[in-house]
Amino acid sequence: METDRPSDKILIEIKDMRKIYNPGENEVHALDGVDLTICEREFVAIIGHSGSGKSTLMNMLGCLDVPTTGTYQLHGIDVSDMDDDELSDVRNREIGFIFQGFNLIQNLTAVENVTLPLIYRGVGKKEREELALRALEKVGLSHRLDHKPAQMSGGQQQRVAIARAIAQAPPIILADEPTGNLDSNSTGEILQILRELHSEGRTVILITHDNEIAEQADRVIKIRDGRIVSDTRRVTQAEGGDHGQDMIQEKGMEDEENE
């Protein structure tokens, strides 16, 4: 049976990652020497204000871009200098993306939106339909299979997007501001689904600017000016000894910004 406890097996290892835009006189250091390790089955939130570098870091973690310098190892394989085709293969195999804007095709039904990426991955018709139905059932939308995005609420559209992301059971769920366009009720539903995916053994990486959203994760990494400034991990009662409540353990990082 799967467990929601993180394993000791390293999934992601980033060393001295830098991303420089407009090299030269007006260069921008979007990432400035990031070191980061994430183990399998962690639930991690990466939080930062606009311009902090969190979106650039997300692009690196999702193999959507490559660093200027530094290394990124995923499952022990260096992906930091792969070409576009190689990165695409890694994304298809390893990562399920959930975006703030849903990115659904408006003239397709829920089940068609979920099956479309599976067509591109070469999954046979019968299998992809089974995978899509199973994923939509998991997010509570088995009664909305034939509905198009315009016929669904924002929360339902985001659940379709989650079903699309998890249909082929990728080991990593990368969620970029997944509740940014949702009301509080839908936000709670989406966060509950992410927790359930984590409890099934997925590694969940949540990108957000919202402290309340970040606190749903077991580990919160704060980024500012392209650098990680704090890395906070929740220690459970079983791990923390006799304490009656969960406690937060702060790793030795730079001083946090005043917020």
Side-chain angles (χ1 to χ4, degrees):
M1 183 175 179
E2 294 287 2
T3 174
D4 59 357
R5 290 175 61 84
S7 78
D8 295 326
K9 187 174 181 181
I10 293 176
L11 172 66
I12 288 169
E13 187 171 23
I14 288 173
K15 292 184 178 179
D16 196 26
M17 179 179 282
R18 300 173 189 272
K19 183 64 177 181
I20 301 173
Y21 295 105
N22 304 320
E25 186 176 341
N26 298 315
E27 66 186 24
V28 176
H29 291 250
L31 295 178
D32 191 13
V34 170
D35 294 308
L36 176 63
T37 299
I38 297 175
C39 292
E40 292 181 351
R41 298 199 302 272
E42 283 202 84
F43 188 169
V44 180
I46 297 174
I47 185 170
H49 299 300
S50 176
S52 63
K54 69 180 187 299
S55 295
T56 302
L57 181 55
M58 184 214 71
N59 287 339
M60 301 300 161
L61 292 169
C63 297
L64 296 167
D65 199 356
V66 294
T68 304
T69 61
T71 61
Y72 173 17
Q73 290 198 345
L74 180 60
H75 284 305
I77 299 172
D78 191 350
V79 301
S80 49
D81 59 355
M82 287 185 174
D83 62 29
D84 289 344
D85 289 339
E86 291 171 323
L87 289 173
S88 179
D89 288 340
V90 172
R91 290 194 299 270
N92 285 335
R93 184 175 65 250
E94 302 283 350
I95 305 169
F97 292 93
I98 305 168
F99 296 105
Q100 178 177 349
F102 315 145
N103 293 350
L104 301 178
I105 297 177
Q106 295 298 309
N107 64 345
L108 296 183
T109 65
V111 70
E112 289 169 341
N113 266 287
V114 176
T115 57
L116 185 61
L118 301 176
I119 295 174
Y120 296 141
R121 294 172 189 172
V123 180
K125 186 175 186 295
K126 182 178 180 181
E127 182 182 359
R128 65 176 180 258
E129 288 178 353
E130 290 175 352
L131 291 172
L133 292 174
R134 195 178 308 147
L136 286 164
E137 182 178 4
K138 182 181 290 291
V139 298
L141 287 179
S142 56
H143 63 301
R144 296 281 187 177
L145 302 179
D146 296 324
H147 286 66
K148 295 181 179 180
Q151 299 171 304
M152 292 183 283
S153 68
Q156 290 170 337
Q157 290 182 61
Q158 188 61 293
R159 282 190 274 163
V160 173
I162 292 175
R164 179 183 57 195
I166 67 175
Q168 225 176 355
I172 303 169
I173 301 297
L174 186 56
D176 181 22
E177 302 280 9
T179 63
N181 289 332
L182 304 179
D183 59 30
S184 58
N185 184 60
S186 295
T187 292
E189 293 175 349
I190 297 307
L191 291 173
Q192 179 59 33
I193 291 172
L194 291 177
R195 284 191 289 267
E196 290 172 358
L197 291 169
H198 173 241
S199 71
E200 293 171 1
R202 314 285 180 88
T203 303
V204 178
I205 303 173
L206 174 63
I207 312 295
T208 183
H209 69 280
D210 189 320
N211 282 292
E212 290 187 11
I213 300 298
E215 287 171 1
Q216 302 299 309
D218 297 325
R219 180 182 174 193
V220 179
I221 296 168
K222 291 188 177 181
I223 187 169
R224 182 185 65 196
D225 297 332
R227 297 181 178 180
I228 292 175
V229 296
S230 70
D231 187 346
T232 315
R233 188 187 304 274
R234 190 180 304 278
V235 179
T236 66
Q237 182 174 347
E239 295 169 317
D242 296 330
H243 295 80
Q245 296 180 342
D246 288 358
M247 53 185 278
I248 299 297
Q249 181 179 14
E250 184 76 19
K251 290 189 173 182
M253 312 295 290
E254 299 178 23
D255 290 337
E256 294 185 32
E257 67 271 36
N258 295 320
E259 297 183 334

